[in-house]
Amino acid sequence: MDHFSYKNGTLHAEAVPVDAIAAEHGTPTYIYSNATLTRHFQVFDGAFSDLDHAICYAVKANDNHEILKRLGALGAGADCVSAGEIMRSIKAGIDPSNIVFSGVGKQPWEIEYGIKQNIMQFNVESEPELELLSSIAASLGATAKIAFRVNPDVDAGTHDKIATGRQGDKFGIAYDDALRLYNKAATLDGIEVQSVAVHIGSQLTNLEPFRQAFTKIKDLVIQLREAGHNITHLDLGGGLGIPYKKDIPPSPSAYGQMVKEVLGDIGCKLVFEPGRLIVGNAGILLSKVIFLKETYHGRKFLIIDAAMNDLIRPTLYDAYHDIVPSVEFDHTTDVFPTDIVGPVCETGDVFGKDRELPTMKADDLIAIRSCGAYGSVMACSYNTRPLPAEVLVDGDEVIVLRKRQSLDELLAR
């Protein structure tokens, strides 16, 4: 559920018509709904209300300061993959004791920064990283709390570029090598073993891969405790999908029930790292039609002012996003197969092909839905195109999160 809907024939973000936002802030513009953001966090958090748990929002999904600030106020921690994300999170008011530092390539200065901030834990992904972390922590006279991110060799059944838990993926340590590395960690200065971490991929629409991975991790926790390790936390990552298309992913409550069935008796604080699930459907990208181009062979191209530099997911992942005009229309009559494309000089600058849309003309508005995650955060200035504006709607209030970049500001860099 989200709070983008037609009212009196016009698409609204909560109580605000999107055409009013376009008139005030131009296009392309990312529009976020505070009510959707809040609801999604609370529904996911509520699925674990009877368990000791922490929700560490995956900052990489959308790192806007105001979004981090609002999630932090709701009780979210942060899952970060760089020192920059840790700093962003702290500046937004998130307590370092609720921050997890993930990622396969942490640099020495980033590790030092994380240690000095006294974060919740480092998710260690290799033996060289463990040794470096020990060396830096010991030199600072500090202790770094760790989990190993364990690769359970489970195929999540998601897009190849966002699957992370298979044997051939770059993430984590091998399951069969885990006991050896935990035993080594226990002997190193500056290291405190507290957790096991797992994350098998993003945009999962089936609970079975989660169940397989969590069952294997539970077995590992039992082995580690038998070997004398005090495992008090269990980081289960993120990855639960959202309905970009017509597929209906499992609900947070169904996911929560599965977690309780597998791990309810494990005696650990459970850490979750949702990103897309929280912000994905809380955002749209509003754009304006430049031209309707019709070829000799009858193909229709709707050329809009947003481009792949503003939203790269369709180009990068062949990702599907619903695309709708700002004016409500009858889906059963007067619609035509239409390709929605951007102006960038790349054949791949396509948002959707053969979408059933009414005939549209220059200056009409169109919304690309489910853009709150991996949208603005991955935007760039390719083709010397300034970055889009971002606004947050809270009821009938429109809050500017980032002004549209001007060409002068872009060139000044």
Side-chain angles (χ1 to χ4, degrees), residues 155-171:
D155 189 341
T158 187
H159 191 285
D160 188 59
K161 291 185 179 179
I162 53 176
T164 63
R166 304 165 301 188
Q167 195 173 51
D169 296 324
K170 72 177 183 180
F171 299 96

Side-chain angles (χ1 to χ4, degrees), residues 55-168:
I55 308 297
C56 292
Y57 164 72
V59 175
K60 65 180 180 177
N62 188 316
D63 65 8
N64 189 281
H65 175 84
E66 186 67 19
I67 286 175
L68 293 178
K69 180 180 174 183
R70 289 178 182 240
L71 288 174
L74 292 170
D79 166 47
C80 301
V81 293
S82 70
E85 287 189 349
I86 295 174
M87 184 178 289
R88 276 186 186 275
S89 301
I90 294 171
K91 285 182 176 293
I94 293 175
D95 192 312
S97 66
N98 285 325
I99 292 178
V100 173
F101 192 2
S102 306
V104 300
K106 304 177 189 74
Q107 299 182 66
W109 68 271
E110 293 182 298
I111 290 173
E112 181 175 338
Y113 178 75
I115 292 172
K116 288 181 175 179
Q117 299 307 311
N118 198 25
I119 63 173
M120 179 198 296
Q121 74 183 30
F122 290 81
N123 285 352
V124 176
E125 303 215 22
S126 67
E127 190 167 3
E129 181 189 335
L130 172 67
E131 294 167 348
L132 177 63
L133 181 58
S134 169
S135 172
I136 294 172
S139 72
L140 295 172
T143 299
K145 296 176 181 178
I146 74 156
F148 279 103
R149 177 174 174 174
V150 177
N151 186 324
D153 194 21
V154 170
D155 189 341
T158 187
H159 191 285
D160 188 59
K161 291 185 179 179
I162 53 176
T164 63
R166 304 165 301 188
Q167 195 173 51

Side-chain angles (χ1 to χ4, degrees), residues 290 302-308 340-346 349-351:
I290 302 174
L302 196 65
I303 303 170
I304 63 177
D305 65 358
M308 61 184 277
I340 301 93
V341 303
V344 156
C345 193
E346 296 280 352
D349 186 20
V350 176
F351 294 112

